[in-house]
Amino acid sequence: MKRNSKREKNTRLRKRKKISLSRLVFNEKGLIPAIIQDYKTGKVLMLAYMNGESLKISINEGRTCFYSRSRKVLWRKGETSGNIQKIKSIWYDCDRDALLIKVIQIGVACHTGKKSCFYRRIV
């Protein structure tokens, strides 16, 4: 059986249908939740919100940029801590109202110093 070359595989990936960002469903405040997941392990690292501008910045720079709901400003993950997230892929859900961003995490994801923001269990 013949294996596909790396170049053929990359060509197939580029041909996948991509959604126009205008088709995403942002809430009444212009935000969309983004689940951040470790690209290699699949572990959920954090949840943050994006607006149209932060999503475009993230796509253009290849690293996560979010919108702070409390401070009402854009912020790039790691701009002060150095704990950056390099984007491997961005997915949207069936309703187009939530994002899943797979990243390579450099350092920790949580401001508490934990690898993931999800370290407290209820059940």
Side-chain angles (χ1 to χ4, degrees), residues 10-24:
N10 287 340
T11 300
R12 281 196 320 270
L13 291 174
R14 282 193 299 270
K15 287 183 180 178
R16 285 185 184 165
K17 185 176 179 179
K18 295 181 181 178
I19 188 172
S20 166
L21 298 184
S22 65
R23 295 201 57 221
L24 292 173

Side-chain angles (χ1 to χ4, degrees), residues 50 53-65 87:
M50 295 180 142
E53 184 179 359
S54 66
L55 180 54
K56 287 176 187 173
I57 289 169
S58 296
I59 292 168
N60 291 334
E61 294 182 0
R63 57 182 278 199
T64 55
C65 176
I87 298 172

Side-chain angles (χ1 to χ4, degrees), residues 23-73:
R23 295 201 57 221
L24 292 173
V25 179
F26 293 83
N27 70 16
E28 66 282 349
K29 295 180 179 177
L31 303 175
I32 190 167
I35 301 162
I36 311 304
Q37 181 182 43
D38 186 283
Y39 172 73
K40 292 181 183 173
T41 67
K43 184 173 181 74
V44 174
L45 300 173
M46 59 182 282
L47 170 74
Y49 288 84
M50 295 180 142
N51 63 10
E53 184 179 359
S54 66
L55 180 54
K56 287 176 187 173
I57 289 169
S58 296
I59 292 168
N60 291 334
E61 294 182 0
R63 57 182 278 199
T64 55
C65 176
F66 303 109
Y67 181 80
S68 170
R69 295 175 298 159
S70 59
R71 294 179 290 143
K72 300 189 180 356
V73 296

